[in-house]
Amino acid sequence: MHLLDSYSQTFLSTNQERSDKQRENFKIATVALQGNKFNITVQNTGDIPINITRLWAQDKSVTDSFGTYTINTNVSPGGVATNIGQSIALNPVPTDSYSVKLVTSRGNSQQFSMNSVSTAPLYLQFIAIPSTVPSGVASELVLILTNNGSSTLVNVVPATPQPIAGSASYKPLGSSTPPSYATLPPGQTAIFTWNLVESGKDGDYRKFSASLQNGFPGNSASATVTVRDLTAASSNWSTTWGILSINYTTLQWSRDNGVTWNNAWSVPAQTSIVWRVNITNNDPVRSFILNGNTTLVAFGASPGNNAALPFYILKNNYPPATQYPTNGQTIPSNSTQRIVFGAFGAGSMPPVSFSNAQKGQYAISILIFGYWNSPSSGNFFGQNIPYEGIIVT
Amino acid sequence: MQKLRARKGISSVITGAMLLSATVMMGTGLVSWSNTNLTSYQTSLTNSYSTNVNKLNENLVIENVWFVNNPQSLRVTLTNLGNEGLNVTDIKLQTSSSTQDTPQKAIIMPKQHTDIPIGDAINPYIWQSKVPITITVTTVRGSIFTTQVMPP
């Protein structure tokens, strides 16, 4: 009887151990490289405590490089153990591939792989948003990378996109946003972006190629950004509106050689009028050089009044009134300057005045002519900025 | 007549004594025989119990298998999770096309693990990529532990 009792106790005990082993359940929640160490988070998804005893790691990029490391971390049911791998003498090389296995005291294990991006080609997409831009207007290059493998990728760092075709000039690309992904689990997507400011003549383009640092040879994608000039032709005023703009509240006039400046919309007739207004060059890169044909024009808006009275640009040292050269005042990129109008012709001097017969309502429009970067660039630009209303009394 | 009656009385006594002696002898022999049998049975039962309980208590895990490239071979890590020492006597490697027995003498103490190389520079074990291998470990008590692995 004693033997039978002892046997049954042993049987029950063994059975219990095997049952516990089957009830044990855990998963590897996250894996990252931190401080040149693995940082593994394990979640106990079972209903009994587990003890992570050992970590097995194989550097698959090096022939027969194996290692076993003691972990000895307890995880309660439903609990999470973090920073596994931070205190062991394993310093993974970011460019290598690893096979890692965690083993519990009951003999269960979970395994995962960490691959370098150099292991296999990845699905890369490289796009420009927008792909056609006015010269000097920013666009965005976007690199989309999907981990189409079955193991976690580590240290995903994009290389700076390189120009491979085209002649459009561009500002050097900075680092991507974000600069890198420490890990990229299977099926996940990483997105990197660069700001691109490209300039050139209409039709100029640049084709860029994007790849990953230490990536699989030949694993790249390309995108093209084309420059399209926006001109002030009547058919596309709306598309050009905004490159040069005015602050309407800064439009002022003077009848006494700049001693007094008025904002009122009531402008007297029979006296020389000089106008001034702040014009902003919204181009982020290029400066704008005004041409002497730049004009403030008052269009008659009263019934029967078809007058169009031009006030040509003066030099911006008014007063005194100084003739405007053929090309002159420069508005730097992303900046604002005061422009003065009052000459009766291009390169001429004041006065310009409304006659008594011309009294009535007017719509003021500013016709801007000039060049991007320099008059010799051949990069002409014209724009109309409507409208400010006045009444000539 | 009286002499004849006296001889008949002696004869009865002798017969009774003989019967008694025979009975005692037979009884002694029977007791002795059964005692020997019982002892033998008890010994056998004890041995059987020990063997079975020890076998039942064996708890071995094939914790990890490394595929070595140079020389092509395996490193099988076995962990004794039980409370008794065990002796691995054989590791059998079986694929769809081959079977290889590798006799072992690996004693693993309780809660300890050991690496057992299968193959070396002289006699490599040629594993083939993506061809699964069934590993069967046998102990001296006859316990069998098995797993399947896939070479990279």
Side-chain angles (χ1 to χ4, degrees):
Chain A
M1 288 303 291
H2 174 72
L3 285 181
L4 276 176
D5 187 47
S6 175
Y7 187 83
S8 87
Q9 285 299 326
T10 304
F11 182 82
L12 288 173
S13 172
T14 305
N15 203 34
Q16 183 64 46
E17 284 176 11
R18 289 177 184 168
S19 169
D20 285 350
K21 184 177 178 181
Q22 285 182 339
R23 287 167 59 199
E24 195 175 76
N25 205 358
F26 72 103
K27 70 175 185 181
I28 295 165
T30 61
V31 179
L33 280 181
Q34 185 180 335
N36 211 25
K37 298 272 189 187
F38 281 123
N39 188 346
I40 304 166
T41 301
V42 170
Q43 185 179 8
N44 182 355
T45 54
D47 54 6
I48 56 173
I50 63 171
N51 178 266
I52 309 290
T53 52
R54 273 184 291 280
L55 180 148
W56 300 80
Q58 179 183 3
D59 185 345
K60 294 191 288 186
S61 303
V62 179
T63 303
D64 301 335
S65 173
F66 310 109
T68 311
Y69 306 90
T70 300
I71 301 296
N72 196 26
T73 297
N74 292 309
V75 192
S76 56
V80 171
T82 57
N83 299 324
I84 292 176
Q86 287 284 290
S87 57
I88 60 176
L90 171 63
N91 298 304
V93 180
T95 54
D96 287 0
S97 300
Y98 288 86
S99 176
V100 180
K101 185 178 192 178
L102 291 172
V103 182
T104 70
S105 59
R106 295 186 182 94
N108 289 317
S109 62
Q110 289 286 344
Q111 196 165 352
F112 64 91
S113 294
M114 295 191 74
N115 276 352
S116 162
V117 292
S118 63
T119 309
L122 299 163
Y123 182 52
L124 298 180
Q125 289 177 284
F126 194 40
I127 53 178
I129 305 174
S131 59
T132 301
V133 292
S135 180
V137 174
S139 63
E140 197 163 56
L141 296 173
V142 182
L143 175 64
I144 303 170
L145 156 69
T146 302
N147 180 1
N148 48 343
S150 58
S151 54
T152 300
L153 294 174
V154 295
N155 197 33
V156 182
V157 184
T160 302
Q162 295 299 310
I164 55 174
S167 60
S169 59
Y170 64 97
K171 277 188 167 181
L173 296 169
S175 59
S176 64
T177 304
S180 66
Y181 279 67
T183 55
L184 188 65
Q188 297 294 303
T189 297
I191 298 175
F192 302 97
T193 61
W194 292 264
N195 287 325
L196 171 69
V197 179
E198 195 172 279
S199 55
K201 300 191 299 292
D202 186 50
D204 284 355
Y205 72 97
R206 274 284 182 181
K207 188 175 184 180
F208 293 90
S209 174
S211 60
L212 297 171
Q213 285 186 18
N214 303 312
F216 191 80
N219 191 197
S220 64
S222 62
T224 301
V225 179
T226 304
V227 174
R228 289 288 177 214
D229 262 0
L230 299 178
T231 57
S234 58
S235 60
N236 62 5
W237 274 357
S238 60
T239 59
T240 63
W241 194 89
I243 296 179
L244 297 174
S245 60
I246 67 169
N247 180 348
Y248 285 85
T249 61
T250 63
L251 180 67
Q252 294 178 313
W253 55 270
S254 173
R255 58 183 297 184
D256 54 8
N257 295 322
V259 177
T260 308
W261 290 97
N262 306 281
N263 290 98
W265 42 261
S266 179
V267 180
Q270 295 279 59
T271 184
S272 174
I273 300 295
V274 173
W275 304 86
R276 68 182 188 181
V277 68
N278 288 350
I279 294 184
T280 300
N281 174 10
N282 296 301
D283 191 293
V285 179
R286 300 170 301 172
S287 56
F288 187 76
I289 297 93
L290 291 161
N291 177 267
N293 286 303
T294 299
T295 317
L296 182 151
V297 185
F299 295 100
S302 300
N305 183 1
N306 297 320
L309 193 63
F311 295 78
Y312 281 84
I313 188 170
L314 290 168
K315 286 192 74 171
N316 65 338
N317 58 351
Y318 184 87
T322 310
Q323 289 177 320
Y324 198 87
T326 303
N327 303 304
Q329 188 172 349
T330 298
I331 309 175
S333 60
N334 270 335
S335 62
T336 300
Q337 289 218 343
R338 175 172 286 163
I339 310 297
V340 182
F341 302 92
F344 61 85
S348 300
M349 294 285 282
V352 182
S353 59
F354 295 96
S355 65
N356 278 330
Q358 292 172 322
K359 287 181 179 176
Q361 294 184 353
Y362 286 81
I364 287 178
S365 179
I366 298 173
L367 303 180
I368 299 174
F369 302 94
Y371 312 85
W372 294 111
N373 292 326
S374 79
S376 60
S377 69
N379 201 355
F380 298 84
F381 184 78
Q383 184 178 334
N384 169 47
I385 301 177
Y387 284 104
E388 186 100 351
I390 59 167
I391 297 177
V392 177
T393 55
Chain B
M1 286 299 288
Q2 282 183 349
K3 281 185 180 177
L4 186 63
R5 277 186 200 141
R7 282 178 188 166
K8 279 184 179 176
I10 292 170
S11 171
S12 297
V13 169
I14 291 171
T15 304
M18 287 174 65
L19 279 171
L20 185 62
S21 299
T23 304
V24 168
M25 286 175 65
M26 286 174 64
T28 305
L30 188 63
V31 167
S32 172
W33 173 80
S34 59
N35 191 37
T36 307
N37 256 12
L38 275 174
T39 304
S40 169
Y41 181 73
Q42 188 177 4
T43 305
S44 169
L45 188 64
T46 305
N47 287 339
S48 175
Y49 164 80
S50 297
T51 303
N52 282 303
V53 165
N54 287 341
K55 185 176 175 182
L56 196 62
N57 275 329
E58 280 191 341
N59 191 358
L60 184 72
V61 168
I62 303 170
E63 186 170 306
N64 196 47
V65 178
W66 273 333
F67 296 91
V68 183
N69 289 284
N70 188 24
Q72 203 167 30
S73 56
L74 295 182
R75 274 175 64 187
V76 181
T77 303
L78 302 175
T79 302
N80 181 2
L81 297 177
N83 296 314
E84 296 172 1
L86 53 79
N87 186 357
V88 173
T89 54
D90 185 78
I91 296 180
K92 185 165 73 175
L93 307 165
Q94 206 168 5
T95 68
S96 55
S97 58
S98 69
T99 300
Q100 181 171 333
D101 254 326
T102 59
Q104 305 289 333
K105 284 181 184 174
I107 295 171
I108 312 174
M109 299 311 287
K111 311 299 180 190
Q112 299 298 309
H113 63 99
T114 188
D115 285 349
I116 299 177
I118 309 285
D120 53 29
I122 300 169
N123 295 307
Y125 174 75
I126 308 297
W127 47 265
Q128 290 178 301
S129 182
K130 308 299 181 192
V131 176
I133 303 171
T134 302
I135 300 177
T136 305
V137 179
T138 307
T139 69
V140 73
R141 296 186 181 103
S143 299
I144 292 173
F145 302 90
T146 187
T147 191
Q148 197 169 48
V149 291
M150 176 79 85

